[in-house]
Amino acid sequence: MSVFPKDFLWGAATAAYQVEGGFEADGKGASNWDLFSHLPGTTYQGTNGDVAVDHYHRFKEDVALMAELGMQTYRFSISWPRILPQGRGQVNEAGIAFYSNLIDELLKHNIRPMITLYHWDLPQALQEAFGGWESREIVDAFDEYARLCYRRFGDRVDLWSTFNETVVFIGMGYFTGAHPPSLKDPKKGIQACHHVFLANARAVKSFRELGINGQIGFVNVMQPHDPISDSPQDRRACEIAEGIFTHWLYDPVLKGEYPAELLAMAQQAFGVPQFAPGDEALLKDNIVDFIGLNYYKREMVAHNEDVEGYAINTSGQKGSGRELGFKGLFKLVRNPNGVYTDWDWEIYPQGLTDAIGRIVKRYGNIPTYITENGLGAKDPIVEGEVRDQPRIDYLRDHIQAIGAAIEQGADVRGYYPWSFIDLLSWLNGYQKQYGFVYVDHANNLARRKKQSFGWYQRVIASNGERL
Ligand code: BG6
């Protein structure tokens, strides 16, 4: 018998900028990514989401493929500037119509939508008006945007999440500079991150005030950290890394407060986050209904006296990246016994069971969705077929890892592999493929089912028994 509950949801995920295209279509405003990706040297070989995989124009064909795959749920994001071109004020009805039609098409095929409100594409107008996430004004703006979405789509959508992976858009936007607005300014970054938590709390509050029939959650990267050795220094370094990358991001939305030790460290070093009257209560009173975990890899951590900065492997040439280090705190190091992808991500399914267990231990048995999980690879085409056996192996092992967590009592309710279809990887172009559906960029973006498509179809049909 399957270990997955009868009502377990099997789906897949995407995000607006990575699939839609139509970057100037029908009154859409510019996003921060529309600008950033057009700047020389920012992305792999200058790739951008101007056309992406043209989901904006082909969503019906795509939903038909989702239905054929047997998907019971689909996680996608709304492009804020598509429906509010200036970020606030004037609504673009054509943008609303696109999402409304997408939702109807999904429901027609019995696919339950899960909406992400923010998957990194900020209206550029708000970046220019007040510096985007750096300003408290963003909290009101985000709340207005969220309310608009609830009002227009809340009659048909009952699974929502506010944000996707704060650690990435704040970390890379304000600490490493690899994402817009390309700053290396921890003080601004920590305060911007605080505004994200406030915006989340306000949007959760509005969701409840408007009486939307459904659940609202928050999606985070889940990257468990393990020390490279048993030495007290490595274990302490690991504790700090786990504190920054996990507790800092999860505590405010699941406990309504920051981890105390790190908060004191940040305020001492940088004087932030600055709280305004009412912030603490807002966070405390608006805990999310569920947590979404995006799991790809774990990280090994070591004590660090020398390494500062990092280099990302964006080419898929094994070993071309250099792991992240914060001098005096910790560094991420390679596991000598680990198995790695071509982009140097460790493949470690056990980490997913561990990660879910760590969440339960710290926050209790909260409803959990695995909102992303997948293998980025250059899939070979053999005799006309996209043979992605490594993806099948990766997903199978991770589904088993979720099954193990469920057997241990965790309340995991759904699984959304990343991604439904091959799409734009923000910094890695189109060659880092994740989908069940291949997109032929040399042939008018024609869709083709991969080997993994038939496999996942059977997994869903058997509720996770036929792996
Ligand atoms: C997550 C994001 O970080 O990982 C996705 O939510 C992203 O948008 C995915 O595409 C995989 O990362 P990458 O860098 O391989 O595209």
Side-chain angles (χ1 to χ4, degrees):
M1 224 184 72
S2 172
V3 300
F4 295 91
K6 271 205 203 66
D7 55 356
F8 189 84
L9 290 175
W10 297 95
T14 67
Y17 185 72
Q18 300 179 267
V19 290
E20 285 179 4
F23 81 121
E24 293 178 319
D26 306 328
K28 176 181 169 292
S31 77
N32 55 346
W33 270 91
D34 291 328
L35 264 87
F36 178 78
S37 63
H38 285 139
L39 300 174
T42 53
T43 65
Y44 178 70
Q45 294 186 343
T47 39
N48 61 51
D50 291 2
V51 178
V53 295
D54 198 29
H55 177 69
Y56 184 73
H57 296 108
R58 304 182 197 215
F59 74 91
K60 287 196 177 170
E61 179 187 351
D62 290 341
V63 174
L65 282 163
M66 292 177 202
E68 188 180 340
L69 185 54
M71 277 166 56
Q72 299 157 346
T73 181
Y74 172 49
R75 172 177 182 252
F76 62 95
S77 77
I78 292 181
S79 159
W80 183 349
R82 190 178 293 292
I83 65 172
L84 287 165
Q86 296 304 311
R88 308 178 84 158
Q90 189 67 41
V91 174
N92 177 28
E93 289 299 335
I96 296 276
F98 167 68
Y99 294 109
S100 199
N101 293 337
L102 170 62
I103 291 165
D104 288 343
E105 194 68 17
L106 290 166
L107 293 174
K108 195 167 99 188
H109 290 90
N110 289 320
I111 300 171
R112 197 164 155 194
M114 178 191 267
I115 286 180
T116 311
L117 287 172
Y118 190 81
H119 202 126
W120 310 349
D121 44 352
L122 179 75
Q124 178 62 19
L126 299 185
Q127 186 63 44
E128 284 165 19
F130 49 70
W133 293 106
E134 281 161 47
S135 162
R136 264 177 192 273
E137 281 190 53
I138 196 77
V139 179
D140 283 341
F142 184 75
D143 188 41
E144 283 167 33
Y145 160 60
R147 282 174 174 262
L148 174 66
C149 293
Y150 301 153
R151 288 205 181 92
R152 299 300 188 94
F153 312 127
D155 56 339
R156 289 160 288 162
V157 178
D158 65 357
L159 286 171
W160 296 77
S161 54
T162 50
F163 288 91
N164 180 72
E165 298 191 349
T166 312
V167 73
V168 177
F169 72 90
I170 294 294
M172 295 178 110
Y174 289 89
F175 287 76
T176 70
H179 279 199
S182 308
L183 298 178
K184 291 186 181 169
D185 186 335
K187 183 171 174 155
K188 277 190 181 162
I190 293 168
Q191 190 61 28
C193 191
H194 185 59
H195 299 150
V196 173
F197 297 139
L198 297 176
N200 168 68
R202 280 280 296 282
V204 169
K205 187 164 183 260
S206 293
F207 187 80
R208 292 175 183 151
E209 277 172 7
L210 290 178
I212 305 300
N213 176 25
Q215 290 199 309
I216 185 141
F218 195 98
V219 172
N220 265 328
V221 175
M222 174 34 86
Q223 190 168 269
H225 297 82
D226 290 324
I228 192 75
S229 85
D230 252 356
S231 77
Q233 290 92 334
D234 287 341
R235 288 158 64 116
R236 174 65 184 150
C238 184
E239 214 175 87
I240 295 175
E242 184 87 343
I244 293 174
F245 290 126
T246 306
H247 304 156
W248 191 272
L249 285 312
Y250 284 75
D251 284 15
V253 301
L254 292 176
K255 294 165 83 171
E257 62 189 30
Y258 284 90
E261 187 197 357
L262 280 180
L263 180 63
M265 280 166 76
Q267 285 181 327
Q268 201 191 2
F270 303 108
V272 282
Q274 278 169 359
F275 282 71
D279 284 4
E280 278 183 51
L282 183 68
L283 295 180
K284 268 280 176 218
D285 294 344
N286 296 287
I287 303 296
V288 290
D289 297 323
F290 69 85
I291 193 74
L293 305 181
N294 291 354
Y295 179 84
Y296 291 89
K297 58 182 161 83
R298 66 117 171 233
E299 292 289 356
M300 305 296 290
V301 185
H303 178 64
N304 177 22
E305 291 299 348
D306 47 357
V307 179
E308 189 67 45
Y310 79 135
I312 322 177
N313 167 354
T314 58
S315 62
Q317 296 301 315
K318 254 189 187 166
S320 61
R322 190 167 49 76
E323 283 113 331
L324 178 82
F326 287 113
K327 218 189 246 174
L329 291 177
F330 65 86
K331 63 183 169 191
L332 306 179
V333 292
R334 217 175 153 89
N335 173 9
N337 307 312
V339 178
Y340 284 82
T341 71
D342 286 346
W343 277 263
D344 298 319
W345 291 15
E346 187 183 1
I347 301 180
Y348 186 62
Q350 176 63 38
L352 182 49
T353 315
D354 296 349
I356 297 168
R358 288 181 198 184
I359 292 289
V360 173
K361 189 163 171 224
R362 192 171 174 93
Y363 307 106
N365 202 3
I366 47 160
T368 300
Y369 293 87
I370 307 305
T371 35
E372 288 181 30
N373 173 235
L375 176 72
K378 298 171 205 166
D379 300 331
I381 301 184
V382 185
E383 292 164 2
E385 199 198 0
V386 185
R387 301 258 175 96
D388 58 346
Q389 186 62 43
R391 177 162 303 105
I392 295 175
D393 296 340
Y394 179 101
L395 295 175
R396 180 202 305 110
D397 293 350
H398 286 79
I399 291 172
Q400 278 168 345
I402 298 168
I406 292 175
E407 282 181 315
Q408 290 165 19
D411 184 8
V412 186
R413 299 185 176 187
Y415 180 58
Y416 298 81
W418 185 266
S419 49
F420 161 66
I421 191 167
D422 283 349
L423 40 67
L424 173 68
S425 171
W426 304 86
L427 299 179
N428 311 284
Y430 291 94
Q431 63 157 358
K432 192 176 187 187
Q433 296 161 262
Y434 280 96
F436 297 110
V437 175
Y438 168 76
V439 176
D440 190 345
H441 287 261
N443 179 22
N444 189 32
L445 304 178
R447 275 64 169 147
R448 209 186 313 163
K449 291 173 254 176
K450 300 186 192 175
Q451 190 187 352
S452 60
F453 189 99
W455 171 81
Y456 193 47
Q457 217 172 23
R458 288 188 291 279
V459 173
I460 298 177
S462 64
N463 195 26
E465 260 192 284
R466 287 183 62 194
L467 290 171

